[in-house]
Amino acid sequence: MQSRWVDRDAKDTVDRYAKMGIAPELALRVYTTRLLGGDPKLVLHGGGNTSVKVRMPDLLGEDTEVMCVKGSGWDMASIEPAGLPAVRLQPLRKLRTLDALSDADMMRMQRASLLDPLSPSPSVEMLLHAFMPAKFVDHTHATAVLSLIDQPDGEKLCGEVYDGRMGFVPYLMPGFGLAKKAGEVFDKNPNVLGLILDKHGLFTFGAEARESYERMIEMVSRAEERLKKNRKAMFKSGQKIPQHVVAEIEVAPILRGVCSLKNDGAEGAHRRLIIEFRTDDAIVNFVNGAELARYSQQGVITPDHTIRTKNWPLIVPAPEAGKLDDFKRAATQAVEKFVAYYKDYFTRNNARVGGAKKMLDPLPRVVLVQGLGLFGLGRSKQDAIIAADIAEAWIEGVTDAEAIGTFKSISEADMFDCEYWPLELAKLGSAKEKPLAGQIAVITGAGGAIGAATARAFANAGAEVALLDINLAAAKTQAETIGGNALPVPCDVTSEAVVRAAFDQVVHAFGGVDIVVSNAGAAWQGKIGEVDEKILRESFELNFYGHQRVAQAAVKIMLVQGTGGCLLFNVSKQAVNPGPNFGPYGLPKAATLFLVRQYAVDYGADGIRANAVNADRIRSGLLTGDFIKERSKARGVSEKDYMSGNLLQREVTADDVAQAFLHQALELKTTGDVTTVDGGNIAAALR
Ligand code: ZN
């Protein structure tokens, strides 16, 4: 591992922050924190922190000895000085004289010692930083070092590799106890350049930012070098991996289905997860290894991973082509066993700690599929990505640990204490989950006004959204507006092959599909007795068969998942109330209205609901200025009266339609329903 320190960059950082009144030492603390945070082999998703001890004025302007330490919620790779809140050092140092300090009291002390009470809460590892005298303190969970210390004889190995230059702290969970223990180890040999925390990570110290940072690089490099020596041949494949393993997009919907909780909270409400797939030679070598069942079930490589990946992954056998039913059966059994084991694990450990904990969902967060790779699972795409990132680091760490010895993690009790530690869980945030969390929604015609408004509404309700449109640029623009993991997909719904490819892309990105808003459409006009048959057929191709193709592609995936689903169609008031010269548009829409009911009938028993919205006169790609002019002329009214020509005399917007779709998606006991969103039109009323 090379130092990424560049003198010019360091100087630029100091100069830039000097203009904002930031001291050089804090500017350099920001610079090296970013260097550490930018390397996933050192720091991954919140697994590390840094500090610097300086003097600065308090709120009254009095010069105070403080420590600026990484605050929670900040990413080290993009940290700013505000992400390193200052805490008063004197009161924190006094805590070392206590025999014990509860987590609640520690948190209270942390907040009480903030120089600015509006700052973010400091890292839960803050006290360890405070108890070390060094000006700069760096902490990471570097994968290479974890491979050395996640061993039965980690202390001996570190002794050889570091030759007494690093102190060795036996495993304790983070908090006051660990900080105090680290202080004792340091006091025994104050010449050490840092500390190794068994089964957890390492700290390095320095008088300067560069010194502490480069000591981190040096210590990790030494571990890397040791990992290259005397390696055993790795993971001889002892499993019978079939020759023809199916693609990941065939497997993902099956896994989503089996890794869900049926009737969670309400009848028909499934707790679902989003998927992120990863594979490469190292992953496949690991998952195909003869001793997978041993080395994969030992636990995490560093305790804070447990809140993202749980302690153990789920293992399922290779999915052989032509035998997906067997795969589904095996995966179902594996999940049932996993969940039963998790519940037992929770029950026995909860009893040990007093029985007051509430069980988290027992579903796996990492699935290893032999012959294929790994799936990260999460309640959002972002959580699935984090689980997959951590699982990849775990595979690397375990592989190297096994190469030089035997991988060994902390005990089950220690893993439980971290998984259910309120201070660790706080990293996940306390915001209430949104109603569509864990669900994947596909919206066609998402580049247009109604589709875009619907995609926005579903994303705001917590769904992962795929925006399908024949105009990819329009879909991209809307996806960028939504942000996050919103996925633009090119899709012409008049082509079966294109629709299939679009759904493949959605499954690849998220793992399946739960909700479809079939919205793409366009208007053709013509007097029905005179219209060219070609026009009628063109309109049917889009306004009827387009819906059918999309619904069919979605249902196929929903049936594989086995967790129900929701098909929503943008029909039109034309389906029940023909407008003059509008037959070419109204006829296929009338057929689509019937299509909705047919899906409701044929798939109700599978928990798949089918509903429609009949909207009227929405300003959209379909209803442009010219078109409004034409239709108002056909009706013999002014444009303004045409747009608000309804019982309520209110213009209906794309957002109104989006809210109707959202309502239908959330109503678990409604199917075969048509909701009118038209401001009131008795002639178009269904009954
Ligand atoms: Zn740590």
Side-chain angles (χ1 to χ4, degrees):
M1 179 169 282
Q2 297 290 318
S3 166
R4 292 165 57 224
W5 176 283
V6 177
D7 281 337
R8 238 201 30 216
D9 293 351
K11 189 178 174 301
D12 285 351
T13 309
V14 169
D15 292 348
R16 192 168 69 247
Y17 284 118
K19 289 184 192 128
M20 302 174 210
I22 305 286
E25 43 209 346
L26 183 53
L28 290 174
R29 178 70 284 177
V30 168
Y31 173 62
T32 56
T33 301
R34 287 185 181 183
L35 293 182
L36 293 172
D39 187 342
K41 288 194 186 301
L42 293 172
V43 171
L44 206 53
H45 301 298
N49 38 64
T50 58
S51 65
V52 58
K53 298 175 183 79
V54 289
R55 301 192 72 88
M56 59 169 67
D58 68 7
L59 292 179
L60 293 169
E62 278 180 37
D63 187 49
T64 313
E65 188 187 15
V66 300
M67 175 174 75
C68 296
V69 60
K70 188 191 159 274
S72 62
W74 281 84
D75 179 353
M76 283 172 69
S78 56
I79 203 155
E80 294 286 340
L84 291 153
V87 287
R88 292 170 204 277
L89 257 180
Q90 281 310 327
L92 292 178
R93 283 197 180 121
K94 275 190 197 153
L95 292 176
R96 256 195 90 176
T97 58
L98 299 177
D99 288 331
L101 182 68
S102 72
D103 289 341
D105 285 342
M106 181 176 79
M107 292 310 282
R108 205 169 288 137
M109 276 308 298
Q110 291 201 357
R111 289 219 56 88
S113 55
L114 280 168
L115 210 57
D116 178 351
L118 295 180
S119 302
S121 282
S123 156
V124 295
E125 285 168 329
M126 178 193 81
L127 283 185
L128 204 160
H129 287 260
F131 293 173
M132 296 299 131
K135 186 176 177 71
F136 287 86
V137 176
D138 293 26
H139 171 48
T140 74
H141 303 159
T143 316
V145 173
L146 292 172
S147 295
L148 279 193
I149 54 184
D150 287 344
Q151 302 274 349
D153 59 349
E155 183 168 9
K156 189 169 150 272
L157 263 171
C158 287
E160 289 164 21
V161 171
Y162 296 115
D163 201 18
R165 295 165 77 217
M166 296 286 277
F168 191 88
V169 185
Y171 180 80
L172 281 175
M173 75 177 281
F176 177 74
L178 175 62
K180 203 170 145 86
K181 186 81 196 168
E184 287 166 16
V185 171
F186 178 83
D187 286 351
K188 271 187 209 148
N189 183 4
N191 296 322
V192 292
L193 308 181
L195 296 174
I196 301 287
L197 272 53
D198 194 23
K199 311 278 188 285
H200 172 158
L202 75 159
F203 280 76
T204 52
F205 313 136
E208 301 289 340
R210 181 173 185 170
E211 185 175 53
S212 184
Y213 165 73
E214 291 193 335
R215 278 181 182 159
M216 177 65 70
I217 302 301
E218 186 202 334
M219 299 309 163
V220 176
S221 301
R222 280 171 176 261
E224 286 176 336
E225 259 141 52
R226 175 61 187 84
L227 294 175
K228 285 181 200 154
K229 284 186 210 151
N230 308 328
R231 284 177 80 92
K232 285 186 288 196
M234 289 307 297
F235 305 145
K236 211 166 94 255
S237 174
Q239 323 278 334
K240 281 201 189 95
I241 306 298
Q243 273 204 318
H244 299 288
V245 174
V246 301
E248 141 264 343
I249 52 169
E250 303 277 330
V251 173
I254 297 176
L255 289 179
R256 271 197 90 222
V258 298
C259 295
S260 66
L261 293 180
K262 314 273 187 288
N263 300 320
D264 183 44
E267 200 178 349
H270 299 281
R271 187 176 176 85
R272 302 167 169 102
L273 300 170
I274 309 293
I275 279 180
E276 163 81 2
F277 176 66
R278 301 280 171 86
T279 193
D280 62 21
D281 287 349
I283 295 171
V284 171
N285 185 38
F286 184 92
V287 300
N288 288 358
E291 291 179 62
L292 178 69
R294 175 185 59 80
Y295 56 71
S296 73
Q297 301 299 303
Q298 300 299 308
V300 289
I301 51 172
T302 185
D304 78 340
H305 286 182
T306 180
I307 58 165
R308 298 296 192 171
T309 61
K310 295 207 184 285
N311 301 320
W312 322 275
L314 174 77
I315 303 174
V316 289
E320 192 173 352
K323 293 186 180 170
L324 278 182
D325 284 347
D326 291 350
F327 174 77
K328 189 170 184 174
R329 213 169 300 122
T332 305
Q333 282 169 6
V335 174
E336 281 168 0
K337 219 174 122 194
F338 184 98
V339 168
Y341 187 84
Y342 188 86
K343 286 179 176 169
D344 283 352
Y345 150 82
F346 176 80
T347 308
R348 66 177 169 263
N349 282 286
N350 190 31
R352 174 178 58 83
V353 299
K357 305 280 184 191
K358 197 169 164 285
M359 193 179 79
L360 300 166
D361 90 45
L363 298 171
R365 289 300 187 273
V366 176
V367 181
L368 306 180
V369 182
Q370 291 174 338
L372 203 57
L374 79 84
F375 292 84
L377 279 63
R379 283 288 274 166
S380 65
K381 178 66 182 177
Q382 194 51 34
D383 283 351
I385 290 170
I386 292 174
D389 284 349
I390 290 178
E392 277 200 65
W394 170 76
I395 283 180
E396 187 186 333
V398 175
T399 301
D400 285 342
E402 287 279 314
I404 62 158
T406 311
F407 171 58
K408 187 172 185 296
S409 183
I410 50 177
S411 71
E412 178 190 281
D414 285 332
M415 282 190 271
F416 178 87
D417 291 347
C418 285
E419 187 177 1
Y420 284 88
W421 191 31
L423 306 191
E424 196 65 55
L425 286 169
K427 284 187 189 170
L428 301 178
S430 55
K432 197 172 173 289
E433 272 202 336
K434 292 179 175 174
L436 292 180
Q439 298 210 44
I440 300 155
V442 168
I443 298 101
T444 70
I450 292 175
T454 305
R456 260 195 320 274
F458 278 73
N460 284 339
E464 301 299 335
V465 291
L467 294 90
L468 277 52
D469 204 288
I470 193 166
N471 179 348
L472 180 61
K476 273 186 179 157
T477 304
Q478 297 302 336
E480 274 161 25
T481 314
I482 292 168
N485 291 295
L487 176 77
V489 181
C491 185
D492 174 359
V493 297
T494 65
S495 159
E496 197 190 335
V498 171
V499 169
R500 216 180 305 127
F503 273 87
D504 282 353
Q505 208 181 320
V506 174
V507 172
H508 176 70
F510 299 120
V513 60
D514 305 300
I515 301 164
V516 162
V517 183
S518 188
N519 163 67
W524 277 266
Q525 299 187 71
K527 205 164 192 172
I528 197 65
E530 300 154 30
V531 70
D532 192 337
E533 187 178 314
K534 192 171 155 276
I535 288 179
L536 205 52
R537 283 185 185 276
E538 259 176 28
S539 182
F540 261 90
E541 204 50 60
L542 177 62
N543 291 316
F544 172 73
Y545 287 107
H547 293 292
Q548 162 63 357
R549 278 180 206 105
V550 166
Q552 208 169 48
V555 161
K556 197 175 152 213
I557 299 164
M558 288 171 181
L559 291 176
V560 171
Q561 293 172 158
T563 50
C566 179
L567 305 171
L568 303 174
F569 299 82
N570 187 350
V571 181
S572 165
K573 74 112 210 180
Q574 295 294 330
V576 290
N577 175 221
N581 300 334
F582 223 9
Y585 181 61
L587 282 160
K589 285 290 192 182
T592 299
L593 181 62
F594 201 91
L595 184 76
V596 176
R597 292 168 171 174
Q598 196 64 54
Y599 271 100
V601 168
D602 286 351
Y603 294 99
D606 298 298
I608 297 172
R609 299 176 293 114
N611 296 305
V613 169
N614 271 2
D616 191 21
R617 294 179 207 180
I618 315 292
R619 281 182 208 275
S620 66
L622 203 134
L623 211 58
T624 55
D626 284 353
F627 196 86
I628 294 167
K629 203 176 281 174
E630 247 177 80
R631 293 310 306 159
S632 52
K633 211 173 138 197
R635 297 258 171 186
V637 294
S638 76
E639 279 177 48
K640 189 176 173 293
D641 285 349
Y642 177 75
M643 288 310 287
S644 55
N646 53 45
L647 298 177
L648 298 169
Q649 298 173 14
R650 290 175 195 154
E651 183 176 339
V652 183
T653 68
D655 286 325
D656 297 327
V657 180
Q659 288 307 314
F661 278 131
L662 182 58
H663 180 74
Q664 288 181 329
L666 292 169
E667 279 301 327
L668 294 177
K669 292 189 178 169
T670 300
T671 191
D673 173 56
V674 182
T675 295
T676 54
V677 186
D678 58 7
N681 179 349
I682 281 300
L686 282 162
R687 54 185 169 195

